[in-house]
Structure formats: structure tokens, C-alpha cells
Amino acid sequence: AAMGATSQRGNDGGTRGGDGASTSGGRGRMWITTASGALAGATARVCVAPLDVIKIRLQVQVESGAAGKYRGLVQATQTIIREEGARAMWAGTIPALFLWVPYTAIQFTVLSKFKDAATEFERRHPGSMQSVPVSFLGGAIAGSAATVATYPFDVIRTLLASQGHPKVYNTILDAARGVVRERGVAKGLFAGVSVTLAEIVPASAVQFGSYATLKAQFPAMFEGNDFACGFAAGSIARLVVHPLDVVKKRFQVAGFSRSLAYGQRVDAEAYRTFFSAVRTIATREGLVGFYKGLGPSLIKSAPASAITFSVFEAAHRALSANFPTDTTDVTENTKKTQNVVSTYTKKK
């Protein structure tokens, strides 16, 4: 199981997550883990980009129901392709790759370092890590570091994916200059970063907690079926944290220009703070406003997870075979990185 929350002492002397995957060190092969994860994340990102575009269009749409331009997954897909062409389904993919490749690279590296530090601490103080949720803490810290480092690309991706046609920004640099010109660096390129960081910790907590609960309460259904249990836990986590994702997307596009054919522009004055954003959405759109784009987001999670795991495994095997290291068994390292993958297949 890739969602174990507590650490256990393994026979190899390394700290083991509840999934039994070794987290003992291996500096010589860390680049293999990082590169494999980055490639897997990039591949998954390209494959699920259309669903991400639809999700973003629905999330930044102020109007609800029949008043909105987009009224569901199928209708939104048909409308985008009819008005903008099939290429529009991959709008914002380049900045998404600029976001996701370094994001996964940073996250893998930070999480691996954190687990190495936990292993060393456990070696020096036996039993001290027994009740510590190493995987949860490591995932939260790694996700936070990666989010802050790559967040400007997330803002630019959201703008390019949501602007529609005619385009306001044609390139990544054009969008970056426009954001800085209109709102500055801190309020533009990092708009909504606090909401994003607030989303990471509860998402991880719900995902890990749901996974363990489902395994314990429904053994006949989920025992031995980690994929199904992980999908269910990820879906529960998405239901809980999706409202924060909607608020974040509104922060990212608030005040920026786009064609009125795509609905009202998001008023920057109404989204000055987190609480004003929540109040605005609740007052104008009701509870349903916080769950716009939920359908595509849920549908995206299963194929994204499957693609990430399969590409990661293939890349890891290929790199390990062509660039052997003097460290321990490659298969054991693959198990370790499976645990790492599960911590980031929630975002974006």
C-alpha cells in the first residue's frame, strides 16, 4: 500500500513507511528517481491537459447553470472545439510542463532527502519515529517547497488556459509581462499561493486518512486492490479540497482581461483576501460555486495516476539498466519511489 502513514523499523536498518517500501538512502541514484518522476509527470500532464482546460474554464466562470457559457464536461468540450479548434484543448500545456517538470523534480528530491534524514534520525534514536507520519510530513514539506518554487508557472498556465479567444496573451513571456505589469510580482505571479499551500496539507491528510480507513473498514473491497483504494481516497480528498482550488483559480485570474463572450471577468476587488473570495463565491454562486470543474477533476485523477505509475516504472527501469549505480537493489528503490509518486498525484 502506497499510503502508509506511520514509519516502521525495517530489517535493512532504514525507516519504512506503512507500505513497507524502503526509504533508506541512495545519493548515487537520486537523479534517476527525480528524472523518472519528472518524465512521468510531464507525460501524464500532456495526456490529461484537455480535462484540465475544461476544469479551469468551469472554475473561473462566475455564472452558474444555464447562464454560464460552459455547462458541463461534454458541452464544454464541444463548445471549445467548435469555437477555438482542437488545439485549444491543450491551451497552457507548455507553461504546465514548465510547471510540472521542475515541480516533480523538486518534490522528489526534497521528499527523498526528508526520508533520508528521518532514517538517519531513527538510526541514532531507535524507536523515536514509530508514531511519526513520515510519509505525510515529507509529502507536505516537499509539496510546499515545490509549489513555492514553481508557482508563477501555475499562474501563467491558468491565464493561458482560461482566456479563450481572441487571446489576450499569446506566449508565456507575453503573459508573464502582462501579469507583472498589471499586478506586480508578488500579487501577480504569486496570486493565490497562500490558498494553494493551505490546500496541500489537508489534501494529504484526507488522502492518507481515507486510504487507511477504507482498507480497514472495507477489506473485501479494497484489500489487495491498491489502485481502486487509492482512486477512492484521492476522490474523497478532491471533494474536500476542491473548493480551495476554485478559490485559488479565481485569485489567479482576478482583474485580468479576457473576452466577455466567456462570461464576466473576475473582479479583483472582490478577491482581495481569502475570506472576501469565499464570501463573494458563496453570496453570488452558492455552494455549487465551490465545486465548479469537479467532474473533470475527478475524471482526470484515475488516468493521470495510471499514466504516472506506468511511465515512471518504465523510465526508472530503463535508466537503472543503462546507468547502474554502486548502491543497493534497484527494485527496492522502485518501491520507494512508488510511495513518493502517491504524494503528488493530487495537484493541479
Side-chain angles (χ1 to χ4, degrees):
M3 297 289 180
T6 58
S7 63
Q8 301 166 357
R9 187 70 174 170
N11 294 330
D12 59 354
T15 302
R16 293 178 178 267
D19 58 336
S22 173
T23 60
S24 54
R27 283 190 288 268
R29 64 193 177 196
M30 183 175 293
W31 75 269
I32 294 179
T33 298
T34 303
S36 299
L39 177 61
T43 305
R45 205 69 195 152
V46 171
C47 292
V48 302
L51 288 169
D52 199 42
V53 168
I54 295 171
K55 176 178 76 77
I56 290 174
R57 295 284 181 97
L58 290 170
Q59 286 179 323
V60 302
Q61 180 174 265
V62 176
E63 298 84 357
S64 300
K69 182 178 180 66
Y70 304 112
R71 298 184 293 278
L73 178 62
V74 176
Q75 186 270 344
T77 302
Q78 293 172 339
T79 301
I80 294 172
I81 293 177
R82 183 179 64 252
E83 296 182 353
E84 305 171 47
R87 289 183 60 184
M89 299 300 294
W90 278 267
T93 296
I94 299 302
L97 291 175
F98 275 103
L99 159 70
W100 199 243
V101 171
Y103 181 93
T104 51
I106 294 169
Q107 190 173 45
F108 269 71
T109 302
V110 172
L111 182 54
S112 182
K113 289 289 188 181
F114 178 85
K115 289 191 172 184
D116 285 346
T119 299
E120 179 62 18
F121 190 84
E122 172 68 13
R123 186 186 67 79
R124 295 183 179 182
H125 308 279
S128 60
M129 304 296 291
Q130 287 293 325
S131 60
V132 177
V134 174
S135 295
F136 169 75
L137 290 176
I141 292 172
S144 298
T147 295
V148 172
T150 62
Y151 195 77
F153 289 111
D154 192 19
V155 172
I156 294 171
R157 171 192 64 122
T158 299
L159 285 175
L160 292 177
S162 66
Q163 64 181 342
H165 189 79
K167 294 181 178 179
V168 178
Y169 306 111
N170 293 310
T171 65
I172 296 174
L173 289 177
D174 186 25
R177 284 194 293 263
V179 170
V180 173
R181 182 176 60 251
E182 293 186 33
R183 298 183 63 180
V185 175
K187 293 185 177 180
L189 293 178
F190 288 90
V193 67
S194 59
V195 179
T196 304
L197 291 174
E199 180 185 0
I200 289 174
V201 172
S204 298
V206 173
Q207 189 174 23
F208 278 74
S210 298
Y211 188 89
T213 301
L214 289 171
K215 282 281 189 179
Q217 297 297 321
F218 305 100
M221 184 181 300
F222 293 115
E223 190 62 37
N225 194 343
D226 294 338
F227 182 88
C229 191
F231 176 78
S235 298
I236 294 171
R238 172 51 53 184
L239 287 170
V240 173
V241 304
H242 192 78
L244 285 172
D245 194 37
V246 172
V247 174
K248 178 188 75 172
K249 289 294 186 289
R250 297 292 179 88
F251 265 114
Q252 291 177 335
V253 302
F256 291 112
S257 301
R258 66 170 178 168
S259 173
L260 291 177
Y262 292 85
Q264 300 177 31
R265 294 170 184 169
V266 179
D267 183 11
E269 290 300 316
Y271 291 86
R272 295 178 64 87
T273 67
F274 173 78
F275 293 106
S276 67
V278 172
R279 183 169 58 251
T280 298
I281 295 173
T283 302
R284 298 179 182 178
E285 304 167 55
L287 181 62
V288 69
F290 292 101
Y291 285 93
K292 287 182 175 179
L294 178 62
S297 184
L298 289 173
I299 294 173
K300 184 181 71 174
S301 61
S305 178
I307 293 168
T308 299
F309 272 106
S310 59
V311 173
F312 173 82
E313 292 285 13
H316 195 280
R317 284 194 296 267
L319 290 173
S320 297
N322 287 281
F323 301 94
T325 65
D326 57 358
T327 51
T328 55
D329 185 18
V330 169
T331 301
E332 190 69 16
N333 188 55
T334 299
K335 292 180 180 179
K336 168 188 172 182
T337 46
Q338 284 180 342
N339 186 38
V340 178
V341 168
S342 67
T343 67
Y344 75 80
T345 52
K346 68 173 184 61
K347 177 171 187 271
K348 301 144 184 158

